[in-house]
């Protein structure tokens, strides 16, 4: 393994990092996988000839926050993009195995990715509000999905749900691009929940934000988990430890030709992963010895 | 760990900070580049300056009201009338016909190339489309006269005689085809500049391709699309050969596109062919019409620049 070459840090104490496991999930029910939303089995993903992810099998529990962590190139973003078929948009991407959503494989031939994405929303690494007003950003999804009802109420509800209403209620007609980065990201979360999905996928939602904005999004995630199933990819181990119920640790195997294949190493409750990991590679990663 | 100390080479005194030798080359290059930049500015100024004196002479005899309000244009006749409305009306009508062709087709082509076509198709189609922009306008003119007009006359469904031998419709349609590449290519550039993150955001909300194109990409690229259309309008207003050949040389004030009519550029081309003595009054009419044309295209270009500036950096 290449990690032997990397100078070790914190080797003396596995808990030297200031990890406050479960800090932001106080008051939430015990982690449970009894009511799974996703049942992923034998998932392989190729980009052209390159197998980016190999053999992932895991359950995602309803109204749980599931974190996916691991070093760069371990395939965690690739895996999360399979959960709402966003990989369809990448030329040459190919998926085998099963991503069963309430028992129905998302990759069955007759499944419509548009229907999938109306139930399984996504928030991206960089805030990507449309160059429209705040109001129109939120109303976009409900409008194109033909949702009925009072749009003003819906916009207010979504913005309140994303803890943004008080900051923007007097400037709904202003451009969304005038908001700060953290506000823009909460706007994107509001835009996602406005179409009332069951699941919200978050692909490194805080990596472009400062620590204060990050803290607000983390608080928000804990609130949203009462109603939504959340899957988050993060580079920030402390973030995973603070907010998530379950943590999946991915890493990349390097084959004889030097090609990297992502794989799931260990998946368990966040407390178990961070306090008593079963796999040596997980322990090395979370203690900062590798990655 | 101790860092190695850096010592000045022994014996060498402090090096002068003054230039060892003057760099003339830089200045020459800079001068040449400045000249290159000034050529087009100087030409524009030259055109304006040369337009002014004959135009002023013209308006000493013909009032502005008569020029802009008159409905008869017979400048080269023995009993001349100088009402520019027939020429202006013909220019507008043909421009509108051209835009009615070029905007939907150009925008459709741009949306297809930017959002639907896969990379190989786009790589083949876009240059092919741009070749269309390289066809000389005189070729388009004869295409209109000798192909489009006969077909229009042949297939004309309604009663009456159908389109005249020279008519605004045929010129407008072919001019529309001529400016399709301008609108398609520039609009496609504007749409390609829309970041994929916006498309991802829209797809992730459960939008199909059509919705993403029409509700997200086109609005985000709107400034570039509008600028492309304004440039198309400028080209249509200024286009000469197609209208001179296919639309005729008779100044008629009509909104019937089946009739022959003369545009502003058509008149200039006709009058400028050498029959008109220099410094005669007829000669000055050319400049008056030219000045009006210049003002119109100048205003269009200013609008275009403003629109582009106003909406630039819209994704930031």
């Amino acid at each position: 393994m290449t990690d032997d070459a990397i100078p070790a840090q914190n080797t003396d104490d596995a808990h030297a990092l200031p990890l406050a496991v479960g800090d932001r999930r106080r008051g939430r029910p015990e982690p449970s996988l009894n009511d799974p939303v996703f049942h992923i089995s034998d998932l392989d993903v190729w980009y052209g000839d390159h197998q980016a992810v190999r053999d992932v099998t895991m359950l995602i529990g309803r109204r749980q926050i599931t974190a996916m962590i691991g070093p760069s190139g371990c395939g965690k973003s690739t895996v999360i993009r399979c959960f709402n078929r966003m990989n369809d948009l990448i030329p040459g991407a190919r998926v085998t195995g099963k991503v069963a959503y309430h028992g129905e494989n998302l990759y069955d031939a007759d499944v419509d990715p548009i229907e999938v994405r109306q139930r399984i929303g996504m928030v991206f690494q960089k805030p990507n509000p449309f160059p429209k007003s705040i109001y129109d950003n939120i109303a976009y999804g409900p409008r194109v999905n033909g949702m009925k009802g009072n749009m003003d109420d819906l916009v207010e509800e979504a913005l309140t749900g994303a803890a943004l209403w008080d900051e923007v209620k007097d400037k709904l007609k202003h451009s969304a691009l005038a908001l700060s980065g953290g506000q823009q990201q909460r706007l994107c979360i509001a835009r996602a929940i406005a179409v009332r999905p069951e699941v919200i996928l978050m692909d490194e939602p805080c990596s472009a934000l400062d620590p204060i904005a990050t803290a607000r999004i983390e608080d928000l995630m804990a609130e949203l988990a009462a109603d939504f199933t959340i899957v988050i990819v993060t580079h920030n181990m402390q973030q995973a430890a603070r907010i998530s119920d379950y943590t999946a640790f991915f890493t990349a195997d390097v084959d004889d030709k030097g090609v990297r294949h992502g794989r799931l190493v260990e998946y368990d409750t966040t407390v178990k992963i961070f306090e008593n990991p079963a796999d040596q590679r997980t322990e090395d990663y979370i203690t900062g010895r590798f990655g | 760990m101790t860092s190695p100390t850096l010592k000045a080479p022994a014996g060498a005194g402090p090096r002068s900070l003054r230039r060892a030798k003057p760099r003339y080359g830089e200045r020459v290059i800079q001068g040449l580049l400045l000249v290159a930049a000034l050529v087009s500015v100087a030409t524009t100024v030259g055109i304006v300056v040369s337009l002014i004196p004959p135009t002023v002479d013209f308006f000493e005899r013909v009032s502005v009201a008569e020029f802009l309000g008159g409905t008869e244009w017979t400048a080269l006749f023995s009993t001349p009338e100088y009402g520019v409305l027939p020429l202006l009306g013909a220019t507008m009508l043909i421009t509108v016909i051209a835009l009615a062709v070029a905007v939907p087709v150009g925008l459709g082509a741009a949306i297809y190339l930017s959002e639907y076509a896969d990379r190989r198709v786009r790589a083949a189609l876009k240059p092919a489309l741009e070749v269309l922009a390289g066809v000389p306008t005189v070729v388009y003119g004869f295409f209109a006269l000798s192909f489009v007009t006969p077909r229009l006359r042949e297939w004309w469904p309604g009663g009456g005689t159908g389109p005249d031998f020279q008519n605004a419709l045929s010129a407008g349609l072919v001019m529309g085809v001529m400016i399709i590449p301008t609108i398609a290519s520039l609009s496609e550039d504007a749409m390609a500049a829309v970041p994929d993150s916006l498309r991802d955001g829209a797809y992730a909300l459960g939008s199909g391709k059509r919705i993403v194109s029409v509700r997200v990409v086109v609005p985000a690229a709107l400034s570039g699309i509008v600028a492309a259309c304004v440039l198309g309008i400028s080209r249509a207003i200024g286009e000469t050969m197609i209208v001179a050949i296919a639309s005729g040389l008779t100044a008629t004030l009509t909104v019937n596109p089946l009739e022959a009519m003369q545009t502003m550029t058509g008149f200039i081309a006709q009058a400028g062919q050498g029959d008109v003595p220099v410094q005669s009054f007829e000669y000055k009419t050319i400049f008056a019409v030219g000045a009006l044309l210049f003002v119109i295209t100048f205003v269009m270009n200013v609008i275009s620049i403003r629109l582009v500036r106003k909406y630039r950096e819209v994704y930031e």
Side-chain angles (χ1 to χ4, degrees), chain A residues 81 84 86 89 91 114 117-118 120-122 124 128-132 140 143-145 177 191-192 195, chain B residues 119 196-209 211-212 215-216 219-220 313-316:
Chain A
R81 290 172 70 95
N84 67 344
M86 285 300 280
L89 304 173
I114 291 171
R117 295 181 200 130
Q118 288 176 7
I120 305 164
M122 191 161 203
F124 298 85
N128 58 351
F130 301 132
K132 302 174 190 283
Y140 171 89
R143 278 183 189 144
V144 303
N145 296 346
L177 301 165
R191 186 175 70 181
V195 297
Chain B
R119 239 175 294 163
D196 275 341
S197 65
L198 291 186
R199 292 186 183 85
D200 282 352
Y203 282 121
L205 290 165
S207 318
K209 201 153 224 176
I211 301 262
V212 173
R215 307 270 305 242
V216 175
E313 295 173 349
V314 75
Y315 329 114
E316 295 299 312

Side-chain angles (χ1 to χ4, degrees), chain A residues 209-283:
Chain A
L209 305 182
D210 64 50
I212 293 168
T214 300
R216 299 204 64 160
I217 303 259
E218 289 181 2
D219 284 338
L220 176 59
M221 277 190 257
E223 284 166 32
L224 291 173
D227 300 308
F228 300 94
T229 301
I230 296 177
V231 183
I232 174 174
V233 164
T234 177
H235 265 305
N236 181 333
M237 275 182 289
Q238 287 92 327
Q239 180 170 65
R242 281 193 297 267
I243 61 171
S244 68
D245 302 299
Y246 283 86
T247 296
F249 171 64
F250 289 77
T251 191
D253 289 346
V254 183
D255 68 12
D256 319 337
K257 294 173 199 136
V259 181
R260 300 165 75 87
H261 307 287
R263 77 159 65 236
L264 176 61
V265 174
E266 190 172 355
Y267 179 49
D268 212 320
T269 62
T270 298
V271 174
K272 177 84 164 47
I273 292 282
F274 281 91
E275 291 182 349
N276 190 18
D279 194 292
Q280 186 61 39
R281 289 169 291 179
T282 313
E283 180 159 349

